[in-house]
Amino acid sequence: MSGPVDLKADVAEILVSEEAIQERVRELGQRISDDYRGRNLTLVSVLKGSLPFMADLMRAIDVPVRIDLMEVSSYGGTATESSGLVRILKDLSASIADEDVLLVEDIIDTGLTLNYLIRYLRGKNPASLRICTLLDKPARRLVDIPVDYTGFTIEDRFVVGYGLDYGELYRNLRFVGVLRPEVYSGGG
Ligand code: IMP
């Protein structure tokens, strides 16, 4: 068993800095505000990874919004690979029928999780459904997903921070980074 996790010492490289994230979130908030003025916007985010992005993005939006939260777990995968099998741990708490829904995601990797969620939410008859993701890893996409708002397109690396975890840790880092290889391999 290795010693306690040292969050910052475990990071090999910062891919997206705190400043870059904050600036991009402000831009996305402005675009979303312009696009949804006069409509009934509901932001739906998916716990836990999207929590910091949702919290910052909603405050960068200056039109009225409702928010709702879902939690899903993908099962059958590993700590760094999603399987596409999705279980809903927490469902929406209110109807989204006739609402303009913007699904707020942390990262789109294979797209399997989002593909499932899109079909699920469409079944609830929203007036419209769009996708906003902080990070996009197109290299690994298995299903075609129409993404309407993207923060950053990144290369195919497993990233942590700003909500994203490895083994449930590192979510509270204020930037998006890559861990040292020995951390991923469990060598501490
Ligand atoms: P997908 O179904 O392969 O698109 O994976 C989506 C989910 O896998 C995300 O919402 C994350 O929870 C997780 N995920 C994918 N890539 C990463 C990563 O690089 N770091 C941390 N979590 C990731």
Side-chain angles (χ1 to χ4, degrees):
M1 189 65 197
S2 51
V5 168
D6 184 337
L7 289 180
K8 293 217 168 137
D10 284 353
V11 173
E13 195 185 328
I14 294 178
L15 285 192
V16 192
S17 70
E18 178 181 358
E19 295 73 23
I21 292 172
Q22 294 307 324
E23 189 186 330
R24 191 75 182 118
V25 168
R26 270 197 299 277
E27 288 169 7
L28 288 173
Q30 201 50 60
R31 270 184 54 203
I32 292 165
S33 303
D34 292 343
D35 291 351
Y36 284 92
R37 222 165 281 285
R39 295 171 57 188
N40 298 318
L41 177 58
T42 296
L43 302 175
V44 173
S45 95
V46 187
L47 296 170
K48 304 167 195 160
S50 305
L51 193 61
F53 182 41
M54 175 71 152
D56 287 342
L57 184 68
M58 62 187 271
R59 287 175 294 174
I61 294 173
D62 63 12
V63 297
V65 293
R66 293 184 175 79
I67 66 165
D68 211 336
L69 302 167
M70 291 184 70
E71 183 170 7
V72 300
S73 79
S74 52
Y75 52 97
T78 67
T80 59
E81 299 281 331
S82 131
S83 65
L85 297 169
V86 177
R87 187 167 37 158
I88 294 179
L89 301 178
K90 187 210 166 296
D91 205 342
L92 297 170
S93 56
S95 166
I96 53 165
D98 301 322
E99 286 284 312
D100 292 300
V101 173
L102 182 62
L103 184 53
V104 177
E105 263 286 11
D106 49 0
I107 189 166
I108 309 177
D109 187 20
T110 62
L112 293 171
T113 309
L114 199 52
N115 191 46
Y116 174 88
L117 279 171
I118 289 171
R119 276 184 293 156
Y120 181 78
L121 293 175
R122 282 215 181 107
K124 308 253 173 208
N125 300 314
S128 66
L129 177 62
R130 285 187 176 177
I131 312 298
C132 176
T133 187
L134 178 73
L135 301 171
D136 187 4
K137 259 200 270 189
R140 289 177 25 107
R141 194 76 88 253
L142 295 177
V143 280
D144 196 27
I145 304 272
V147 186
D148 302 282
Y149 306 94
T150 302
F152 301 91
T153 301
I154 60 169
E155 55 197 285
D156 178 15
R157 301 172 79 181
F158 191 83
V159 293
V160 298
Y162 199 66
L164 292 162
D165 76 303
Y166 175 66
E168 290 297 328
L169 294 174
Y170 307 100
R171 294 189 195 275
N172 54 324
L173 292 172
R174 301 170 76 98
F175 52 80
V176 171
V178 177
L179 296 177
R180 296 191 352 254
E182 53 271 36
V183 181
Y184 290 128
S185 59

Coordinates of all heavy atoms in Angstrom, one line a residue, residues 82 105-114 137 140 157-160 164-165, ligand 1:
S82 N -14.6 3.4 -20.5 CA -16.0 3.3 -20.3 C -16.5 2.1 -21.1 O -15.9 1.7 -22.1 CB -16.7 4.6 -20.7 OG -17.8 4.4 -21.5
E105 N -21.8 18.3 -20.0 CA -20.9 17.2 -19.8 C -19.5 17.6 -19.5 O -19.0 18.7 -19.9 CB -20.9 16.3 -21.0 CG -21.9 15.1 -21.0 CD -21.4 14.0 -20.0 OE1 -20.5 14.2 -19.2 OE2 -22.0 12.9 -20.0
D106 N -18.8 16.8 -18.7 CA -17.4 17.0 -18.5 C -16.5 16.7 -19.7 O -15.7 17.4 -20.1 CB -16.9 16.3 -17.2 CG -17.3 14.8 -17.2 OD1 -17.9 14.3 -18.2 OD2 -16.9 14.1 -16.2
I107 N -16.7 15.5 -20.2 CA -15.8 15.0 -21.3 C -16.5 14.0 -22.1 O -17.3 13.2 -21.6 CB -14.5 14.4 -20.7 CG1 -13.5 14.1 -21.8 CG2 -14.8 13.2 -19.8 CD1 -12.1 13.8 -21.2
I108 N -16.3 14.1 -23.4 CA -16.8 13.0 -24.3 C -15.7 12.3 -24.9 O -14.7 12.8 -25.5 CB -17.6 13.6 -25.5 CG1 -18.7 14.6 -25.0 CG2 -18.3 12.5 -26.3 CD1 -19.5 15.3 -26.1
D109 N -15.7 11.0 -24.6 CA -14.6 10.1 -25.0 C -15.1 9.2 -26.1 O -15.1 9.6 -27.2 CB -14.1 9.4 -23.7 CG -12.9 8.5 -23.9 OD1 -12.1 8.8 -24.8 OD2 -12.6 7.6 -23.1
T110 N -15.5 8.0 -25.8 CA -16.1 7.1 -26.8 C -17.4 7.7 -27.3 O -17.9 7.4 -28.4 CB -16.3 5.7 -26.3 OG1 -17.2 5.7 -25.2 CG2 -15.0 5.1 -25.8
G111 N -18.1 8.4 -26.4 CA -19.4 8.9 -26.7 C -20.6 8.0 -26.3 O -21.7 8.3 -26.4
L112 N -20.2 6.8 -25.8 CA -21.2 5.8 -25.4 C -22.2 6.2 -24.3 O -23.4 6.1 -24.4 CB -20.5 4.5 -25.1 CG -19.8 3.8 -26.2 CD1 -18.9 2.6 -25.7 CD2 -20.7 3.3 -27.3
T113 N -21.6 6.9 -23.3 CA -22.4 7.3 -22.2 C -23.4 8.4 -22.7 O -24.6 8.3 -22.4 CB -21.5 7.9 -21.1 OG1 -20.5 7.0 -20.7 CG2 -22.3 8.3 -19.8
L114 N -22.9 9.3 -23.4 CA -23.7 10.4 -23.9 C -24.8 10.0 -24.9 O -25.9 10.4 -24.9 CB -22.8 11.5 -24.6 CG -23.4 12.8 -24.8 CD1 -23.9 13.4 -23.4 CD2 -22.3 13.8 -25.3
K137 N -12.6 14.4 -26.7 CA -11.5 13.6 -27.1 C -12.0 12.8 -28.3 O -12.3 11.6 -28.3 CB -11.2 12.5 -26.0 CG -10.0 12.9 -25.1 CD -9.5 11.6 -24.4 CE -10.2 11.4 -23.1 NZ -9.6 10.3 -22.3
R140 N -11.1 8.9 -29.9 CA -11.7 7.6 -29.4 C -13.1 7.4 -29.6 O -13.8 6.5 -29.1 CB -11.3 7.5 -27.9 CG -9.8 7.2 -27.7 CD -9.4 7.1 -26.3 NE -10.5 6.7 -25.4 CZ -10.5 5.5 -24.8 NH1 -9.6 4.6 -25.1 NH2 -11.4 5.2 -24.0
R157 N -5.6 11.3 -24.2 CA -4.9 11.0 -22.9 C -5.9 11.0 -21.8 O -6.9 11.7 -21.9 CB -3.8 12.0 -22.7 CG -2.8 12.1 -23.8 CD -1.9 13.3 -23.6 NE -0.8 12.9 -22.7 CZ 0.1 13.8 -22.3 NH1 0.2 15.0 -22.8 NH2 1.1 13.4 -21.4
F158 N -5.6 10.2 -20.8 CA -6.5 10.1 -19.6 C -6.2 11.3 -18.7 O -5.1 11.4 -18.2 CB -6.4 8.8 -18.9 CG -7.6 8.7 -17.9 CD1 -8.8 8.2 -18.3 CD2 -7.4 9.0 -16.6 CE1 -9.8 8.1 -17.4 CE2 -8.4 8.9 -15.7 CZ -9.6 8.4 -16.1
V159 N -7.2 12.2 -18.6 CA -7.0 13.4 -17.8 C -7.8 13.5 -16.5 O -8.7 12.7 -16.4 CB -7.4 14.7 -18.7 CG1 -6.4 14.8 -19.9 CG2 -8.8 14.6 -19.2
V160 N -7.3 14.3 -15.6 CA -7.9 14.4 -14.3 C -8.0 15.9 -14.0 O -7.4 16.8 -14.6 CB -7.2 13.7 -13.1 CG1 -7.1 12.2 -13.3 CG2 -5.8 14.4 -12.9
L164 N -12.9 15.8 -13.1 CA -12.5 14.5 -13.6 C -11.7 13.8 -12.6 O -10.7 14.3 -12.0 CB -11.8 14.6 -14.9 CG -12.7 15.1 -16.1 CD1 -11.9 15.6 -17.2 CD2 -13.7 14.0 -16.5
D165 N -11.9 12.5 -12.5 CA -11.3 11.7 -11.4 C -10.4 10.6 -12.0 O -10.6 10.1 -13.1 CB -12.3 11.1 -10.5 CG -13.0 9.9 -11.1 OD1 -13.6 10.0 -12.2 OD2 -12.9 8.8 -10.6
Ligands
IMP1 P1 -17.5 7.8 -22.8 O1 -18.8 7.1 -22.6 O2 -16.4 6.9 -23.2 O3 -17.7 9.0 -23.7 O4 -17.0 8.3 -21.4 C1 -17.7 9.3 -20.7 C2 -17.3 9.3 -19.2 O5 -16.1 8.6 -19.0 C3 -17.0 10.7 -18.8 O6 -18.2 11.4 -18.4 C4 -16.0 10.5 -17.7 O7 -16.7 10.3 -16.5 C5 -15.2 9.3 -18.1 N1 -14.0 9.7 -18.8 C6 -13.7 9.6 -20.1 N2 -12.5 10.0 -20.4 C7 -11.9 10.4 -19.2 C8 -10.7 11.0 -18.8 O8 -9.8 11.2 -19.6 N3 -10.5 11.3 -17.5 C9 -11.5 11.0 -16.5 N4 -12.7 10.5 -16.9 C10 -12.9 10.2 -18.2

